[in-house]
Amino acid sequence: MALTSKTLLCILMAGTLVVSVLILWLWPRAARPGPAGWAARLGMLAVAQLCLLSVLLVAANRSFGFYSSWDELLGRSSTVQALEAAPAGGKLPPALTVKGPRSIGLKGPAPVAGQVEEVAIRGRLTGLSMTGYVYLPPQYFQAAYRTRTFPVVVAITGQPGISKNLITQLKVPQAVSEAVMAKTVRPTIYVLVRPSVVPGRDTNCTDVPGGPQALTFFNQDLPAAVSEHYRTTDTPGSWGAVGNSTGGYCALKLPMTNPARYGAGAGLSADYFARKDRDTGDLYDGSRKLQNENDLTWRLRHRPAPPVSLLVSSSKQGEPNYRPTLEFAAAAKAPTRVAKLIREEGGHNFQTWREEYPEVIRWLDAQLRDRAAPTPAP
């Protein structure tokens, strides 16, 4: 039974109710003096608390998408896969497979509001893979655009988290669809993914020495897979990235390390360096040089400035990254441009990021407008 399934939550709730009724019935029988009675009542209280806690944890996981499967929760599996040999004809299997369209409440059919597809992406360079979603704008399905290509934005959720959070919590495709329908932004493909390419490990979009090549996956494998399957604009710098928290760090890191692909990136409540903790492990094999290279503020100060546009967001109250955000922006030098979205008050949460996304979507469109091939008005 899936960790995020409604059935599991209902079973746990029903089980908790049954256990509660059973405890109420047994309590008078256990209410006798002496150590045996005390132990029985303490045991019943512990069972009740355990049942209630399991309901709360599963409900929280369904709402916030910390873990998508039992294997991921227990850290038992890896998305690292051996590359398959090409068949006799020499043709490799597809790097992107569509699992099917997903109904997420867009305001109309595909030619009117667009469509979200669930996809599996397989990295041919790194051997890494992940599942995610792709939002296709309504023009993608219209006859007037059948030979046209579209700019792409990669949206990355936080860690831990699942790509579905970008749909259920941040409502990214819904916001993009409404903006496209209102003609405030151009029709754009959005790829919705998570930052981690290995269950149970926060790889911070980093090429780990002797480990997962996560940065290469996002810089090379993911764009190649998407462009192979969809009609994407691939002129230099015509792709963008956006993300929250750890995903925000990734969204800034991609244009800073691969400006030939990503011309703009927006980091919402982003980190500016990869933290080292039990979820990340040693990402740099003890190398100070590699650690510096993955510190985004250090890169702005010590590396040649890439010709990209970056946006960072924070809040004066409620966000721990306020001062690092100002330091990051102050370190930028031409031709790198950094815009700031600073709120008086906000938090490191979905509500704050959901409110910021419509403005960020418009900002990304403005930054990428001159880089991508034009599309005709319908």
Side-chain angles (χ1 to χ4, degrees), residues 10 26 28 33 45 144 189 226 232 247-249 263 321 369:
C10 291
L26 291 174
L45 288 174
I189 295 172
V226 173
T232 64
Y249 168 78
N321 80 331
R369 185 174 292 272

Side-chain angles (χ1 to χ4, degrees), residues 9-307:
L9 180 60
C10 291
I11 290 174
L12 290 174
M13 293 174 65
T16 300
L17 180 60
V18 171
V19 168
S20 299
V21 172
L22 185 61
I23 287 174
L24 289 174
W25 182 68
L26 291 174
W27 191 266
R29 292 160 177 76
R32 56 180 183 272
W38 299 337
R41 281 173 284 174
L42 285 173
M44 286 189 284
L45 288 174
V47 170
Q49 292 290 334
L50 183 62
C51 290
L52 181 59
L53 183 61
S54 66
V55 170
L56 292 176
L57 290 176
V58 170
N61 188 66
R62 272 178 51 82
S63 295
F64 298 105
F66 298 121
Y67 300 98
S68 60
S69 68
W70 292 104
D71 282 338
E72 186 176 331
L73 174 65
L74 301 173
R76 292 189 306 209
S77 65
S78 171
T79 54
V80 180
Q81 300 175 353
L83 290 177
E84 300 173 17
K91 187 177 180 181
L92 289 170
L96 185 147
T97 305
V98 177
K99 296 185 173 183
R102 296 296 298 264
S103 175
I104 62 166
L106 296 180
K107 298 178 179 179
V112 174
Q115 178 173 284
V116 172
E117 297 182 343
E118 185 176 6
V119 300
I121 299 171
R122 176 180 175 277
R124 288 179 175 158
L125 286 177
T126 63
L128 299 168
S129 62
M130 67 163 53
T131 58
Y133 301 87
V134 173
Y135 166 77
L136 300 171
Q139 289 80 359
Y140 197 89
F141 305 94
Q142 296 172 5
Y145 290 80
R146 63 181 178 275
T147 61
R148 293 290 180 168
T149 59
F150 296 83
V152 180
V153 172
V154 178
I156 310 171
T157 190
Q159 175 72 22
I162 57 177
S163 53
K164 195 174 182 179
N165 286 345
L166 292 157
I167 299 173
T168 59
Q169 299 294 335
L170 297 177
K171 302 187 183 302
V172 175
Q174 296 92 321
V176 176
S177 174
E178 291 177 6
V180 171
M181 292 170 68
K183 299 183 180 180
T184 58
V185 302
R186 293 170 305 150
T188 303
I189 295 172
Y190 268 69
V191 181
L192 316 174
V193 292
R194 59 182 300 174
S196 178
V197 293
V198 179
R201 186 175 187 186
D202 184 1
T203 48
N204 274 269
C205 298
T206 299
D207 283 345
V208 181
Q213 302 297 287
L215 183 60
T216 299
F217 177 85
F218 283 100
N219 269 341
Q220 305 295 332
D221 282 339
L222 184 148
V226 173
S227 295
E228 180 182 292
H229 189 86
Y230 297 106
R231 303 195 307 275
T232 64
T233 299
D234 293 320
T235 53
S238 61
W239 283 42
V242 59
N244 57 279
S245 192
T246 300
Y249 168 78
C250 293
L252 297 172
K253 191 175 187 178
L254 297 182
M256 292 179 69
T257 58
N258 187 13
R261 169 68 64 177
Y262 297 95
L268 312 184
S269 305
D271 292 326
Y272 300 100
F273 64 95
R275 302 179 184 277
K276 182 179 179 180
D277 53 35
R278 64 182 184 87
D279 294 323
T280 65
D282 186 356
L283 296 174
Y284 312 117
D285 195 26
S287 169
R288 182 67 179 180
K289 179 179 182 295
L290 287 177
Q291 185 174 343
N292 285 339
E293 292 287 346
N294 287 277
D295 184 315
L296 303 186
T297 305
W298 185 94
R299 290 186 69 94
L300 286 180
R301 290 170 176 161
H302 298 91
R303 287 285 176 259

